[in-house]
Amino acid sequence: MNVRALAAKAIFDVLEKGISLSVALPDKQQYLDSGKDKALMAEICYGVMRQLPQLDKCVSDCLEKPFKGKQRIVYQLLLVGCYQLYFTRIPAHAAISETAEACRQLKFDGLVKVVNGVLRNIQRNEMPLNTDIETLRYNTPAWFIKRLQQAYPEQWQDIIEQSHQRPPMWLRNNQQLHRREAYIATLAQHNIDASEGPSPNAILLDSPKDVNALPGFMDGAASVQDGAAQWAATLLAPQNGELILDACAAPGGKTCHIIEQAPQANVIAVDFDEKRLVRVQQNLDRLNLKAQVIHGDAANIDLWWQGEKFDRILLDAPCSATGVIRRHPDIKWLRKNKDIEELAILQQQIFDHCWQWLKPGGTLLYATCSILPEENSQQVTQFLARTPDAQLVPISQQSNAQDIGWQILPGQDNMDGFYYARLVKAQ
Ligand SMILES: C[S@@+](CC[C@H](N)C(=O)[O-])C[C@H]1O[C@@H](n2cnc3c(N)ncnc32)[C@H](O)[C@@H]1O
């Protein structure tokens, strides 16, 4: 199958079956041989997710009646065609003929003419950019725009703008192997330009690279991790000899960083999702690090842990992931408004339970990749109100010492949107 047919199938999986693009894309890319085709397919799928409402409008305006049932895949294919016409440099005749060929490959020969006709029509039309409908203008669901407007009356447009940018690639230098300056120099020798990020081991690449092109990557020289996520281990400040719980660990980026920072700490990495836990072990193996990896529920620690209480706990809670839309634009369409309240309840349960397993004097770092206060500052404010032995310790990077935790917004210092709150338990 050609790139367009496979792209339509991946988009179908996301929009019709609710599968995340990070799963659907590689699942279909495996049928392509060339790296160039794989890159084009990724560009089209990510692009369609970013611009979905506008593409939807263009396509549906050109259709006499909507496609239903099995024919929906042809609708996704038209989104793919429309994206190429408006947002890529692919010559229109090639975009249209390849997309029509994809329709044949998807076994909808009877609709090839329709696909051709609709795309030719779109080619003649202007992209509907100037519109009063917010969802269309911002390519963002109405419920999310509303929540952003409430939470960030001054910044919401900027947040949406940043959430549509292509994210940079960040590396985490492996401090066990070399200093950050030394690895940046090694990168430069391989013609890879990079600079230091704000947290101690963060390296920002000038342009994204395939990990196989990074010197020493397979031997653990560095890991791919956004600059915002790299603050977790720094703020947790793990010490050698301590017992540390990473309560929601998969795929293990932060677990590995904690051990790089404190190799003699006893780290317990737990996750509810058995499949994702496999990736924790793979990451540990590549970096030659050791942790106890446990399949368990962070809201029921007694079921899988009979040992002593923890000196430090990282609670990187399940969340809406609204801070990382620039990396995962499908989140805009997979996440629903009602999820936010449900997630806040889940976060509260895990938060309260983990706290019981923290030693007196111990530190718990609460983190999310969300930008919504319901999951962040409000969550922590409510926790503090019902937990008399918890004290919030301000984070020096916060712009205002009175804030409840540190909210990083997408694009700030080139980082993803993230939230941290550091809490200490009374002795
Ligand atoms: C934000 S991700 C963690 C990312 C990870 N800390 C990292 O840096 O690679 C949240 C994780 O929480 C896990 N999770 C959700 N509910 C859980 C629960 N009740 N107990 C343990 N893990 C849970 C999910 O499976 C998911 O892997």
Side-chain angles (χ1 to χ4, degrees):
M1 274 197 189
N2 74 13
V3 172
R4 282 74 176 174
L6 289 167
K9 279 180 158 246
I11 293 164
F12 182 89
D13 280 358
V14 176
L15 299 180
E16 308 285 327
K17 297 191 195 162
I19 296 173
S20 91
L21 186 57
S22 55
V23 173
L25 181 66
D27 185 51
K28 304 290 181 279
Q29 271 177 326
Q30 61 173 316
Y31 300 106
L32 295 169
D33 292 329
S34 91
K36 216 171 137 205
D37 281 352
K38 287 184 184 179
L40 174 61
M41 184 179 162
E43 155 70 20
I44 292 173
C45 291
Y46 276 93
V48 169
M49 291 300 147
R50 278 194 202 103
Q51 313 292 143
L52 188 61
Q54 285 177 347
L55 300 171
D56 247 339
K57 168 113 180 79
C58 295
V59 170
S60 45
D61 278 358
C62 293
L63 283 175
E64 275 168 24
K65 52 179 184 164
F67 286 141
K68 292 207 176 117
K70 283 190 179 162
Q71 291 188 344
R72 288 293 294 167
I73 186 95
V74 181
Y75 185 79
Q76 330 288 345
L77 183 64
L78 285 168
L79 299 175
V80 166
C82 185
Y83 178 76
Q84 293 169 82
L85 291 173
Y86 281 132
F87 295 102
T88 71
R89 292 200 192 138
I90 299 169
H93 63 87
I96 295 174
S97 68
E98 288 286 320
T99 308
E101 171 57 23
C103 186
R104 227 170 265 123
Q105 293 183 359
L106 290 166
K107 308 243 176 311
F108 285 97
D109 294 52
L111 291 174
V112 170
K113 264 194 181 165
V114 179
V115 167
N116 249 314
V118 168
L119 292 181
R120 284 191 198 291
N121 222 336
I122 289 173
Q123 190 194 356
R124 285 190 292 269
N125 293 347
E126 285 280 305
M127 174 56 125
L129 288 173
N130 298 323
T131 160
D132 289 341
I133 303 167
E134 287 192 325
T135 303
L136 266 177
R137 189 155 85 210
Y138 297 109
N139 280 305
T140 299
W143 69 265
F144 185 47
I145 298 177
K146 204 164 156 210
R147 282 189 186 261
L148 286 178
Q149 287 171 334
Q150 276 165 1
Y152 304 99
E154 310 279 309
Q155 294 147 296
W156 66 273
Q157 279 164 306
D158 190 43
I159 293 171
I160 291 177
E161 162 84 27
Q162 289 296 331
S163 298
H164 283 85
Q165 300 303 314
R166 283 152 208 254
M169 183 168 174
W170 286 88
L171 299 180
R172 183 183 80 238
N173 173 56
N174 185 348
Q175 67 187 87
Q176 291 300 309
L177 297 183
H178 31 61
R179 291 166 63 88
R180 171 166 67 172
E181 308 88 275
Y183 191 60
I184 290 179
T186 309
L187 288 170
Q189 284 162 11
H190 287 75
N191 296 319
I192 299 173
D193 292 328
S195 53
E196 295 186 353
S199 68
N201 276 293
I203 297 176
L204 181 62
L205 297 189
D206 282 12
S207 61
K209 293 280 171 297
D210 186 326
V211 289
N212 297 311
L214 301 173
F217 183 81
M218 289 321 288
D219 303 320
S223 301
V224 177
Q225 188 177 42
D226 187 82
Q230 293 191 43
W231 279 108
T234 305
L235 297 174
L236 186 69
Q239 304 297 314
N240 284 327
E242 287 182 338
L243 180 62
I244 296 174
L245 172 64
D246 187 353
C248 295
K254 300 184 189 76
T255 311
C256 294
H257 194 189
I258 290 169
I259 308 169
E260 282 169 6
Q261 247 179 252
Q264 308 304 325
N266 182 6
V267 176
I268 316 297
V270 173
D271 204 281
F272 203 51
D273 184 331
E274 214 166 0
K275 277 197 199 142
R276 281 166 64 89
L277 265 185
V278 175
R279 299 203 24 223
V280 178
Q281 194 57 56
Q282 286 168 347
N283 280 323
L284 288 164
D285 291 346
R286 183 181 63 85
L287 295 162
N288 199 16
L289 302 171
K290 300 264 172 298
Q292 282 189 62
V293 179
I294 298 177
H295 177 217
D297 180 359
N300 269 302
I301 296 178
D302 340 37
L303 296 181
W304 48 265
W305 185 249
Q306 278 73 50
E308 53 179 292
K309 290 187 176 181
F310 300 92
D311 294 295
R312 289 176 206 262
I313 298 178
L314 171 61
L315 173 49
D316 188 14
C319 71
S320 62
T322 41
V324 293
I325 286 173
R326 60 182 197 158
R327 288 192 193 280
H328 304 285
D330 51 323
I331 285 170
K332 289 189 292 182
W333 318 116
L334 294 176
R335 202 62 73 227
K336 303 288 175 241
N337 194 23
K338 69 174 178 37
D339 295 348
I340 308 306
E341 270 67 42
E342 289 173 14
L343 281 162
I345 293 169
L346 176 65
Q347 288 154 358
Q348 181 191 325
Q349 285 166 352
I350 301 179
F351 208 161
D352 285 342
H353 188 75
C354 282
W355 190 255
Q356 294 172 29
W357 279 89
L358 186 67
K359 278 182 193 165
T363 295
L364 183 147
L365 185 69
Y366 177 81
T368 73
C369 57
S370 164
I371 49 173
L372 296 175
E374 293 82 348
E375 301 176 85
N376 298 341
S377 55
Q378 284 175 22
Q379 182 71 262
V380 174
T381 304
Q382 289 159 9
F383 177 80
L384 288 167
R386 66 178 179 268
T387 317
D389 59 353
Q391 197 198 343
L392 184 70
V393 182
I395 293 169
S396 58
Q397 288 77 11
Q398 283 174 215
S399 50
N400 186 343
Q402 271 70 54
D403 286 351
I404 303 295
W406 180 27
Q407 179 69 68
I408 305 171
L409 292 177
Q412 188 178 324
D413 286 330
N414 279 309
M415 297 189 286
D416 284 344
F418 231 89
Y419 175 80
Y420 291 108
R422 190 167 47 188
L423 300 131
V424 168
K425 194 171 194 169
Q427 287 284 354

